Amino acid sequence: GESVGLHLPTLSVQEGDNSIINCAYSNSASDYFIWYKQESGKGPQFIIDIRSNMDKRQGQRVTVLLNKTVKHLSLQIAATQPGDSAVYFCAERFTGNQFYFGTGTSLTVIP
Amino acid sequence: GAVVSQHPSWVICKSGTSVKIECRSLDFQATTMFWYRQFPKQSLMLMATSNEGSKATYEQGVEKDKFLINHASLTLSTLTVTSAHPEDSSFYICSARAGGRISTDTQYFGPGTRLTVL
């Protein structure tokens, strides 16, 4: 597998502020990317996806940016809320239907 | 739509016993299911890819005789941890790739199964 994390980076933001979570992916041939949110003790939850032929995609309160030149993906959360506190993973697809996950970032929203 | 369930949600067993974990797609057919393993505060590690009606494809370093995968129908895949030992204790998560009218790209995840081996 790819991208095994040894520890999670952390990000703390004030409620109402915008959050930016970054991810470096490993394979330049990856054609599809997904951001997942995982709360403690639960499975990952789909947030937003983007294909490699795009550089930006917006959802409700979330925006994903893709920079293929430097193999970088970011997730922007607008007006962060306490319910956004979770671990966020990016996942890349480069071999058929298999996805490989990034290290993950633990987001804590301070009320 | 696109709901995936797992059973059991938590299992505690003695060392040496075998444990079966079920993964079901509740409202769609999943031709492909995936099994992941996750240690505390770490990322998900893909263990194997399971295609309905065929043998699973295991990632490098994953023992296929240790982690038996069966995908007998379009809505059910099972992972059996054989002769479990304490080092097998982990959070096991399945995902399913939807087909048909639902996007075939996205994987939808189950809630996970926590395995504790004493």
Side-chain angles (χ1 to χ4, degrees), chain A residues 36 38 51 93 99-100 102, chain B residues 38 43 59 105-107:
Chain A
Y36 286 96
Q38 186 180 28
R51 298 184 187 280
R93 181 182 72 182
F99 282 83
Y100 294 96
Chain B
Q38 185 178 35
S43 187
E59 293 297 296
D105 290 323
T106 306
Q107 289 186 23

Side-chain angles (χ1 to χ4, degrees), chain A residues 68-81:
Chain A
K68 294 182 289 293
T69 302
V70 295
K71 294 189 288 185
H72 183 267
L73 201 66
S74 70
L75 176 70
Q76 300 177 2
I77 305 174
T80 314
Q81 303 167 0

Side-chain angles (χ1 to χ4, degrees), chain B residues 59-114:
Chain B
E59 293 297 296
Q60 189 174 8
V62 178
E63 300 176 58
K64 61 180 181 181
D65 295 329
K66 171 77 172 176
F67 300 98
L68 301 178
I69 293 172
N70 183 278
H71 193 162
S73 77
L74 287 172
T75 59
L76 173 65
S77 176
T78 61
L79 167 68
T80 301
V81 183
T82 62
S83 186
H85 291 282
E87 58 266 29
D88 297 324
S89 298
S90 189
F91 195 50
Y92 292 87
I93 309 173
C94 74
S95 70
R97 173 178 167 265
R101 62 179 178 81
I102 302 174
S103 166
T104 58
D105 290 323
T106 306
Q107 289 186 23
Y108 295 92
F109 284 82
T113 296
R114 185 165 303 283

Side-chain angles (χ1 to χ4, degrees), chain A residues 1 12 19 27 29 35-36 40-41 48-49 55 58 62 64 69 72 77 79 82-83 94 98 106:
Chain A
S12 296
S19 301
N27 196 302
W35 277 101
Y36 286 96
S40 181
I48 192 169
D49 59 356
D55 53 23
Q58 288 184 295
V62 294
V64 55
T69 302
H72 183 267
I77 305 174
F94 64 89
Q98 295 163 322
S106 177

Side-chain angles (χ1 to χ4, degrees), chain A residues 2 27 29-32 92-100, chain B residues 34 46 49 59 107:
Chain A
E2 298 280 338
N27 196 302
S30 295
D31 65 347
Y32 180 57
E92 60 177 312
R93 181 182 72 182
F94 64 89
T95 53
N97 297 314
Q98 295 163 322
F99 282 83
Y100 294 96
Chain B
F34 305 86
L46 179 64
T49 302
E59 293 297 296
Q107 289 186 23

Side-chain angles (χ1 to χ4, degrees), chain B residues 5-17:
Chain B
S5 71
Q6 281 183 241
H7 177 80
S9 57
W10 192 5
V11 56
I12 303 173
C13 68
K14 292 183 178 179
S15 184
T17 60

